[in-house]
């Protein structure tokens, strides 16, 4: 095994591990309205959360205004509803954007939300150059796993690269993309394919930026990643070691990176929601704890722990608090963070790293034989492989039987449920014709859309107007909200 802080960084990115700096503790929040989300953010910050993580409803993810007929029944259901920059401003009201890191769980509309974040900062007196945080902005995994895309794959990736390019040039504290393996895993992939999907996606995004004339070290140093952890504690911890090692090796030998930061895989880990059960929901506290331990032993830089009630609803205050307290207890009441590499020297872990590494290499070779990850997605081959894996027997789950939840279970899960109809809400559309015309022209001319987006956002264009202006001239395919 390697040495913490030294290439290939399998033993950790920093020589001192967590002994000098803990992982960032984030809990995903997005509760229907901007006001309720703002209240949850302040609640979590008051309890010691060290980074914000914002979830959006499906209409916002798909670029639909909340009064669009296609959004009916979905407004505010899976996260906060954002139509204009004023909505995002209300989310962060009273929260100093120059003092807190924000993670945006947004993809197809990441360019629009980035523009809104910039304008919110400006209008609150904060220089956008000091903003800190991460944009998910990962479109390949949308086509592979989640399916929440607006435009065709080429246009979608192009706009994702516009975000990367703008951040590299203008926002030094923002990670412009969080390359995902975790979503493929939630869809059914195994641990090795989870890592392989992320590493293969690097080739697509980094290759696109190199084609635009950017240097490998400059771009790769701004990449971040998303993985998940499941119930095989040691294997999941070993998986993160494999991911860091393979990434460092590929960046040095495949891409010619020379700067250490460009070879260090920095990741956010989410405990897997697919491991949760609605029966006996308090058992989910133990499940999430095991997965959180795996993430910390594996050396994550940022962590989200699922709430016990997350199998059936947006987390209530109790669930969110227990999830955050889980992280804090691991950090401050155990010895897990006192050692730079607590698993170093374990023969079991070394064996798992070797085994998983070979499986990752096999998947990467197969992906390349199919023309790379984009071609593998286009052909349907990679999705088919994930579907095959998804049907493998996961083994028993304690407390889960094929019956409806008991009255006590149902009462526990619904005690703090947030009520929402998911119905439409009206949106004011001030005239911003000139700004939208410029955005449309830049989009169709192939220019980076962020400068025009920022101007249109300042003019209070809605997310629906922005998405319509950015649609390709031929209309381009889009997914319905269903």
């Amino acid at each position: 095994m390697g040495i913490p802080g030294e290439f290939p960084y399998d033993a950790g990115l920093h020589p001192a591990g967590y002994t000098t700096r803990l992982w960032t503790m984030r809990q995903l929040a997005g509760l229907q309205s901007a006001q309720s989300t703002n209240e949850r953010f302040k609640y979590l910050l008051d309890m010691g959360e060290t980074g914000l993580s914002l979830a959006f409803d499906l209409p916002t993810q798909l670029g639909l205004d909340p009064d669009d007929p296609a959004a009916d029944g979905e407004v505010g259901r899976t996260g906060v509803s954002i139509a204009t920059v004023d909505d995002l401003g209300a989310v962060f009201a009273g929260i100093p954007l120059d003092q807190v890191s924000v993670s945006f769980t947004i993809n197809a509309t990441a360019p629009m939300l980035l523009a809104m974040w910039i304008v919110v900062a400006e209008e609150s007196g904060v220089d956008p150059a000091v903003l800190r945080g991460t944009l998910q902005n990962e479109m390949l995994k949308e086509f592979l796993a989640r399916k929440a895309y607006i435009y065709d794959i080429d246009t979608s990736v192009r706009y994702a690269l516009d975000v990367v390019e703008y951040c590299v040039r203008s926002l030094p504290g923002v990670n412009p993309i969080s390359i995902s393996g975790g979503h493929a895993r939630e869809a059914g992939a195994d641990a090795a394919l989870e890592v392989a999907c992320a590493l293969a996606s690097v080739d697509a995004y980094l290759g696109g930026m190199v084609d635009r004339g950017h240097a490998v070290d400059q771009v790769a140093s701004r990449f971040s990643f998303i993985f998940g952890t499941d119930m095989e504690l040691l294997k999941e911890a070993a998986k993160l070691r494999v991911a860091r090692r393979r990434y460092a090796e590929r960046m040095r030998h495949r891409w010619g990176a020379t700067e250490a930061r460009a070879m260090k895989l920095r990741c956010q880990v989410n405990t897997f929601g697919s491991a949760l059960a609605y029966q006996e929901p308090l058992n989910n506290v133990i499940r999430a704890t095991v997965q959180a331990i795996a993430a910390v032993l594996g050396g994550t830089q940022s962590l989200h722990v699922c709430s016990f009630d997350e199998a059936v609803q947006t987390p209530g205050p109790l669930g969110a608090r227990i999830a955050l307290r889980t992280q804090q207890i691991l950090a401050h009441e155990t010895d897990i963070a006192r050692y730079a590499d607590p698993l170093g020297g374990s023969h079991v872990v070394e064996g798992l790293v070797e085994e998983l590494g070979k499986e990752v290499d096999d998947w990467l070779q197969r992906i390349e034989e199919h023309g790379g990850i984009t071609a593998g997605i286009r052909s349907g081959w990679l999705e088919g492989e994930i579907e095959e894996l998804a049907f493998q027997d996961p083994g028993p789950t304690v407390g889960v039987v094929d019956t409806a939840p008991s009255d006590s279970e149902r009462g526990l899960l619904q005690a703090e449920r947030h009520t929402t109809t998911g119905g439409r809400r009206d949106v004011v559309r001030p005239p911003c014709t000139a700004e939208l015309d410029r955005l449309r022209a830049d989009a169709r001319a192939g220019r980076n859309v962020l400068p025009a987006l920022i101007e249109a956002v300042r003019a209070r264009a809605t997310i629906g107007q922005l998405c319509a202006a950015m649609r390709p001239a031929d209309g381009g395919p889009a997914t319905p909200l269903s």
Side-chain angles (χ1 to χ4, degrees):
M1 286 191 176
I3 299 172
E6 294 187 12
F7 184 91
Y9 310 108
D10 52 348
L13 300 186
H14 306 293
Y18 297 129
T19 63
T20 56
R21 182 180 177 181
L22 290 171
W23 64 92
T24 301
M25 300 180 190
R26 300 186 191 275
Q27 289 304 131
L28 192 63
L31 304 175
Q32 294 89 48
S33 72
Q35 290 73 24
S36 59
T37 301
N38 177 263
E39 291 171 4
R40 176 60 62 85
F41 274 167
K42 290 177 178 176
Y43 172 75
L44 291 169
L45 288 169
D46 286 345
M47 289 193 300
E49 181 173 76
T50 56
L52 301 178
S53 188
L54 183 56
F56 301 86
D57 68 359
L58 200 51
T60 304
Q61 294 178 47
L62 292 176
L64 297 171
D65 287 334
D67 59 359
D68 189 309
D72 195 26
E74 292 291 340
V75 176
R77 287 191 62 189
T78 61
V80 65
S81 171
I82 300 293
T84 71
V85 66
D86 294 319
D87 292 328
L88 193 64
V91 167
F92 294 119
I95 297 173
L97 288 177
D98 56 345
Q99 298 178 31
V100 65
S101 170
V102 184
S103 176
F104 288 80
T105 307
I106 197 68
N107 296 285
T109 51
M112 302 76 169
L113 269 298
L114 173 59
M116 291 183 185
W117 189 22
I118 290 168
V119 173
V120 169
E122 291 174 342
E123 294 183 352
S124 65
V126 172
D127 182 354
V130 304
L131 291 174
R132 293 183 297 114
T134 300
L135 296 154
Q136 197 163 105
N137 187 38
E138 219 279 51
M139 291 311 302
L140 290 175
K141 68 96 172 57
E142 292 295 333
F143 285 87
L144 179 62
R146 286 193 71 244
K147 308 302 182 183
Y149 52 84
I150 300 170
Y151 313 113
D152 62 275
I153 191 168
D154 291 331
T155 303
S156 298
V157 171
R158 173 220 157 170
Y159 289 146
L161 294 180
D162 281 358
V163 169
V164 176
E165 185 172 60
Y166 187 88
C167 291
V168 165
R169 289 174 173 170
S170 304
L171 300 176
V174 175
N175 300 318
I177 189 168
S178 197
I179 298 170
S180 177
H183 293 83
R185 181 73 178 279
E186 289 274 41
D190 60 14
L193 183 52
E194 176 187 1
V195 174
C197 283
L199 297 181
S201 295
V202 169
D203 295 339
Y205 292 117
L206 185 53
M209 290 299 291
V210 169
D211 289 345
R212 291 187 180 205
H214 295 273
V216 166
D217 285 316
Q218 179 190 37
V219 175
S221 65
R222 305 291 294 280
F223 284 168
S224 62
F225 292 79
I226 301 175
F227 295 105
T229 45
D230 213 323
M231 294 303 292
E232 293 182 288
L233 190 156
L234 294 177
K235 185 174 182 179
E236 293 298 327
K239 177 186 71 182
L240 299 182
R241 302 176 81 96
V242 172
R244 285 194 297 271
R245 177 188 293 181
R246 287 298 186 271
Y247 177 72
E249 292 169 345
R250 286 168 72 87
M251 289 308 304
R252 172 178 284 183
H253 302 302
R254 186 184 185 97
W255 286 100
T258 59
E259 295 182 8
R261 184 170 172 82
M263 292 181 272
K264 291 182 177 181
L265 184 151
R266 297 170 298 126
C267 70
Q268 154 91 12
V269 169
N270 301 328
T271 64
F272 275 134
S274 57
L276 305 180
Y278 68 82
Q279 300 101 326
E280 299 186 23
L282 289 179
N283 291 346
N284 293 330
V285 176
I286 294 91
R287 295 185 179 105
T289 301
V290 169
Q291 295 168 27
I293 292 171
V296 174
L297 288 176
T300 187
Q301 282 65 62
S302 179
L303 178 60
H304 162 79
V305 174
C306 286
S307 302
F308 74 86
D309 52 354
E310 207 161 326
V312 295
Q313 67 179 42
T314 301
L318 176 61
R321 183 169 75 248
I322 291 173
L324 178 59
R325 295 300 190 222
T326 299
Q327 298 201 49
Q328 293 169 331
I329 289 169
L330 291 179
H332 302 297
E333 294 188 21
T334 78
D335 62 354
I336 197 170
R338 296 178 192 168
Y339 306 97
D341 182 22
L343 295 184
S346 165
H347 295 299
V348 172
V349 174
E350 287 179 1
L352 288 168
V353 167
E354 184 71 18
E355 177 185 343
L356 268 173
K358 291 178 181 177
E359 293 176 8
V360 169
D361 291 341
D362 288 344
W363 276 116
L364 286 169
Q365 181 177 346
R366 294 180 66 188
I367 290 171
E368 289 205 11
E369 288 171 352
H370 281 81
I373 193 163
T374 305
I377 292 171
R378 287 187 200 277
S379 68
W381 165 76
L382 189 53
E383 187 174 355
E385 293 295 314
I386 291 173
E387 288 178 356
E388 287 288 331
L389 290 168
F391 282 100
Q392 293 183 359
D393 184 4
T397 301
V398 174
V400 173
V401 292
D402 293 329
T403 60
S406 66
D407 289 341
S408 61
E409 291 169 342
R410 189 178 293 109
L412 175 63
L413 287 169
Q414 293 181 350
E416 294 185 317
R417 178 170 293 190
H418 292 273
T419 58
T420 178
T421 63
R424 287 181 273 171
R425 64 181 177 93
D426 293 334
V427 176
V428 176
R429 294 177 178 80
C432 46
T433 304
E435 291 84 358
L436 290 172
D437 284 345
R438 178 194 170 190
L439 175 59
R440 187 175 297 105
D442 284 359
R444 295 185 178 182
R447 293 185 286 269
N448 190 305
V449 295
L450 260 300
L453 266 173
I454 293 168
E455 291 305 314
V457 164
R458 284 198 187 104
R460 270 45 192 180
T462 69
I463 200 164
Q465 290 176 309
L466 299 171
C467 287
M470 290 168 59
R471 192 172 297 280
D474 62 0
T479 52
L481 180 59
S482 62

